[in-house]
Amino acid sequence: MDQDAGPKGLFVPYFGKLASTHSGAGMIAALANCSVLMVFAIRTSPRKFEYKIFTEKLDPPADLGDTDANVLAWTRLMTESIERMARRFPEQVLWPHRRWKTRPPANSKESEWPNRPPIRKSNKLANPPFSLDRRGA
């Protein structure tokens, strides 16, 4: 999610500037309508593969009654979580990556999805071959 998604990405704020963001994780979360656990591995040693794991639970945003709006809300929540960790551990971020390479069209708003068809409710994930409901588990 923290890489430029090109012209078909969803534009959400990242460090105060709209950034083209991959929305696949947001789409899965919106269709599953369940909490998401963000997991971050922070390297603790420069010469060894030693990491400290950080997690953040994200609860579903209020249902906005529209799949596209729910995907946008989830994508924004996940990007905000990534930004919080990037602010906390800036040395862990690959800053040379051009995160803001793709710019939104002039006069566009965050909620606009340039060059992207609307998400259909008949998406394959709407009826997965496995259960996404973990409340009873």
Side-chain angles (χ1 to χ4, degrees):
M1 282 192 68
D2 65 342
Q3 295 186 3
D4 181 82
K8 293 188 178 184
L10 176 57
F11 289 94
V12 295
Y14 185 63
F15 285 91
K17 190 174 181 181
L18 290 179
S20 177
T21 305
H22 293 282
S23 60
M27 184 182 307
I28 292 169
L31 293 172
N33 194 29
C34 63
S35 296
V36 169
L37 186 65
M38 299 290 287
V39 179
F40 303 91
I42 303 300
R43 196 167 188 170
T44 58
S45 177
R47 292 185 176 83
K48 296 180 184 176
F49 288 106
E50 296 176 354
Y51 296 87
K52 185 170 183 181
I53 303 298
F54 291 85
T55 61
E56 180 180 6
K57 180 184 175 192
L58 302 178
D59 291 319
D63 185 1
L64 301 172
D66 168 286
T67 303
D68 286 345
N70 290 337
V71 171
L72 172 67
W74 266 114
T75 303
R76 184 175 185 152
L77 277 176
M78 292 177 182
T79 302
E80 288 170 354
S81 178
I82 293 168
E83 181 178 336
R84 281 190 291 278
M85 289 304 289
R87 287 181 184 278
R88 188 170 172 189
F89 300 99
E91 74 283 359
Q92 301 284 324
V93 178
L94 182 63
W95 294 110
H97 171 70
R98 295 183 60 202
R99 181 66 179 90
W100 297 274
K101 176 182 175 182
T102 304
R103 301 307 313 139
N107 302 321
S108 69
K109 295 185 175 90
E110 174 189 342
S111 61
E112 294 178 352
W113 293 46
N115 305 320
R116 185 182 188 126
I119 298 169
R120 296 184 313 273
K121 293 253 182 189
S122 62
N123 188 297
K124 292 179 183 178
L125 288 175
N127 298 307
F130 54 87
S131 175
L132 294 172
D133 185 0
R134 300 288 185 230
R135 286 174 251 159

